[in-house]
Amino acid sequence: MSLERETTVWGKREDMIVRNPSPFNAEPPASLLAEGGITGVDAFFSRNHGAFPDIPVEEWRLTVDGMATKPLELTYEELTTRFAAHSVVATLACAGNRRAELLKVRPIPGKEPWAHGAVSTAEWTGARLADVLEAAGVHHDEGLHVAFTAPDVAPEARPVQSYGSSIPLNKALSAEVLLAWEMNGQPLPRAHGGPVRVVVPGYIGARSVKWVTSVIVQPFPSQNYFQALDYRILPPEADADTVAPGEGISLSSVALNCDILAPTDGDRVAAGPLTIRGWALAGDGRAVARVDVSVDQGRTWRQAKLDPPPSRWAWRAWSLTVDIDAGPLTLMARAWDDTGAIQPESPASLWNPRGYGNNAYARIDLTVM
Ligand SMILES: Nc1nc2c(c(=O)[nH]1)N[C@H]1C(S)=C(S)[C@@H](COP(=O)(O)O)O[C@H]1N2
Ligand SMILES: [Mo]
């Protein structure tokens, strides 16, 4: 089967960059995201650790149990009619987005070399996880976790197992966390976790479990490979193949980040006025306060124009028009959040054995004709 056929099979545009046809992993070229706002389903990145389960809506069930006084088993019909539907515009950012820049520091074997596109924004509609937990008799209790399981089997996991993860109960009870059955007003496509997925705005994409079939309230984080061993920032000297479960920093809330989407790496542009566009996103519950752009290797910076964010859980588009002369040109961008924090300058200090969490200043090299 050709790559082109694979990409169109899942309703994706043919110009998606396919990082792996099986399991399917694809990102849009940066230019497709440059308008900001909501990403079309056909351009939304797709990140998968196994083959897509095929669960007919009538057969899908969700169990909610563990530390719940009224455990539930819900059909799709029950989930979508018993609980009020809420919509949240939220950006999903894969922890591996911008890994390509870390690879230039030191190789990271066996991991997708995501460039600029493992991040996209959609309007998600579904039940609040908080409402479902309340119906199951789950009470707020500091220190508890909510684990999610799904049926897709990940061959890369050690041992081989189906996908899962968890979030703290505190976060699970926040109004923005959904059990979503719609994406951009359409039934949730199979490639994005249909019939139902978890959406955890503000957290790395890995916690938004697709094809979710169980929700378990427990006193410890999920022991699934993708929570206990993967999606962790290991110290640079660690050996990713032999670390013990729980080592390193578990990723949850995303870090302040930004990127340049247009123009993009290696583009040839005309001398004169050039409009630069990109996105910026702050960590869980924080806001982007400023984005600066430099065209002189970081010696001087100008403030970009910030569009209003589509929601407090979504990226902010920014733009700046500069005048440029012929020759090689490096564009840099950096975001500040409302606590006054700024991104780290260089990916060299961020390198980690699995290549997660690159939030260094954005940097693009171009040729001006
Ligand atoms: N069941 C399941 N859920 C999953 C994954 C997966 O492989 N299996 N990948 C996770 C990762 S790493 C990311 S970044 C997001 C990507 O969501 P998307 O494919 O809808 O863009 O889904 C998450 N949820
Ligand atoms: Mo991810």
Side-chain angles (χ1 to χ4, degrees), residues 26-46:
E27 64 178 307
S31 59
L32 280 187
L33 300 175
E35 291 309 311
I38 288 174
T39 314
V41 171
D42 62 348
F44 203 101
F45 81 102
S46 187

Side-chain angles (χ1 to χ4, degrees), residues 44-49 92 94 150 152 163 192 197 205-206 208-211 231:
F44 203 101
F45 81 102
S46 187
R47 172 75 182 110
N48 302 289
H49 296 277
L92 279 195
C94 182
D152 56 319
Y163 193 85
H192 292 287
R197 79 177 298 170
S208 290
V209 174
K210 301 192 271 190
W211 313 288
Y231 291 104

Side-chain angles (χ1 to χ4, degrees), residues 252-287:
S252 53
S253 173
V254 296
L256 172 67
N257 210 341
C258 81
D259 207 355
I260 298 167
L261 296 169
T264 193
D265 305 296
D267 277 0
R268 301 166 91 79
V269 298
L274 172 72
T275 299
I276 307 163
R277 293 179 196 284
W279 62 267
L281 182 67
D284 195 16
R286 302 219 166 109

Side-chain angles (χ1 to χ4, degrees), residues 79-97:
L79 177 73
T80 56
T81 55
R82 262 181 67 182
F83 299 92
H86 295 271
S87 294
V88 177
V89 176
T91 298
L92 279 195
C94 182
N97 190 35

